[in-house]
């Protein structure tokens, strides 16, 4: 079950401060955020196939001529009264109260709109790869970037949207939702979209798509 704190905000001051300190590197495709920039083609493939975020993904969309609006936190989202066909979020594992954040993103969608998430499972493998290896050993990611307890498993997202009747079965049909693992190939220095139902493919990075009912 997703954490749903009494707090009526998704903002975490420590997270904001951490990424603000790294703001000069956001757009550097070979620097601190290289892994995320390299992930964009895979994200775009899934987004484009199913329907068609501020920073890395928005830069890819903008290059394709898309008009985008970027926002990290619930308060900024609520300030904008418009409703959208597509919402894409890659910051779920960095917000407080993810249930509230997801509900806000859901409210911003038009009927039949598409919500895309790119996040990380809460598993021993994800801790080993994203925190122990990437942060502590290889130093490819700044220490403190990830918090293991904030990682969210795919079945928790399925449960969240099942409770809201966006998904009608425990195993959603492809017209309702989809979960796909994203795996980094160090030999090719690129991310690949794992085959559907591939064993263990969602144990670390994965993408989640769900469609809002009409």
């Amino acid at each position: 079950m997703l954490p749903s704190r009494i707090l009526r905000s998704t903002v975490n001051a420590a997270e904001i401060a951490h990424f603000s300190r790294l703001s000069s590197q956001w757009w550097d495709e070979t620097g601190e955020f290289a892994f995320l920039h390299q992930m964009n083609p895979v994200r775009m493939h899934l987004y484009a196939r199913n329907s068609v975020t501020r920073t890395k993904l928005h830069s890819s969309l903008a290059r394709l001529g898309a008009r985008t609006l970027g926002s990290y936190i619930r308060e900024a989202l609520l300030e904008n009264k418009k409703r959208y066909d597509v919402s894409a979020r890659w910051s779920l594992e960095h917000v407080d109260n993810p249930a509230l954040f997801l509900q806000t993103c859901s409210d911003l969608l038009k009927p039949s709109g598409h919500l895309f998430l790119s996040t990380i499972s809460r598993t021993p493998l994800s801790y080993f790869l994203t925190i122990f290896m990437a942060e502590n050993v290889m130093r490819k990611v700044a220490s403190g970037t990830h918090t293991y307890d904030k990682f969210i498993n795919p079945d928790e997202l399925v449960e969240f949207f099942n409770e809201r009747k966006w998904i009608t079965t425990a195993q959603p049909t492809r017209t309702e939702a989809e979960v796909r693992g994203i795996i980094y190939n160090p030999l090719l220095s690129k991310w690949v979209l794992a085959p559907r139902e591939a064993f263990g493919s969602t144990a670390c990075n994965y993408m989640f798509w769900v469609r809002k009912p009409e």
Side-chain angles (χ1 to χ4, degrees):
M1 180 179 295
L2 290 175
S4 55
R5 304 175 187 174
I6 296 176
L7 295 173
R8 298 302 297 173
S9 174
T10 63
V11 179
N12 182 293
E15 295 272 8
I16 297 295
H18 177 82
F19 286 102
S20 294
R21 287 193 296 270
L22 300 171
S23 61
S24 63
Q25 303 181 52
W26 287 355
W27 303 99
D28 184 357
E29 296 185 4
T30 62
E32 174 75 26
F33 297 98
F35 281 143
L36 293 180
H37 284 289
Q38 293 168 6
M39 195 183 291
N40 279 343
V42 180
R43 288 170 166 166
M44 289 296 298
H45 174 75
L46 189 67
Y47 295 166
R49 197 195 68 219
N50 280 285
S51 67
V52 129
T53 73
R54 185 170 170 177
T55 70
K56 300 91 195 162
L57 178 58
H58 273 201
S59 64
S60 293
L61 290 171
R63 287 169 189 156
L64 295 176
R67 298 179 64 184
T68 64
L69 172 69
S71 180
Y72 290 102
I73 57 177
R74 173 178 178 266
E75 286 69 16
L77 292 172
L78 290 176
E79 288 176 2
N80 182 41
K81 303 300 183 182
K82 294 180 67 175
R83 295 296 178 265
Y84 296 92
D85 298 308
V86 178
S87 179
R89 304 290 162 189
W90 63 269
S91 57
L92 187 59
E93 70 273 17
H94 297 291
V95 302
D96 279 354
N97 203 334
L100 179 60
F101 183 79
L102 287 173
Q103 186 59 56
T104 302
C105 293
S106 302
D107 292 342
L108 289 172
L109 282 176
K110 298 176 182 178
S112 298
H114 303 263
L115 176 63
F116 295 92
L117 303 169
S118 179
T119 190
I120 304 172
S121 289
R122 190 175 61 257
T123 65
L125 179 63
S126 70
Y127 177 86
F128 176 77
L129 293 176
T130 65
I131 297 177
F132 180 74
M133 289 300 297
E135 293 187 21
N136 301 335
V137 177
M138 299 174 64
R139 306 287 184 179
K140 292 290 187 180
V141 179
S143 179
T145 293
H146 298 106
T147 303
Y148 179 74
D149 290 342
K150 287 188 171 184
F151 292 172
I152 294 171
N153 292 329
D155 62 320
E156 294 172 318
L157 292 176
V158 171
E159 179 185 13
F160 178 89
F161 287 102
N162 182 271
E163 291 174 351
R164 285 153 181 78
K165 310 302 182 185
W166 289 34
I167 296 174
T168 57
T169 61
Q171 295 294 327
T173 65
R174 284 196 58 205
T175 60
E176 293 180 330
E178 184 176 11
V179 180
R180 296 287 293 274
I182 310 176
I183 300 172
Y184 186 74
N185 186 328
L187 298 179
L188 300 177
S189 296
K190 65 182 296 186
W191 293 89
V192 295
L193 191 64
R196 295 183 189 87
E197 309 300 331
F199 179 76
S201 63
T202 62
C204 193
N205 294 82
Y206 69 94
M207 294 187 62
F208 178 89
W209 163 77
V210 65
R211 185 177 182 182
K212 188 174 186 177
E214 296 183 359

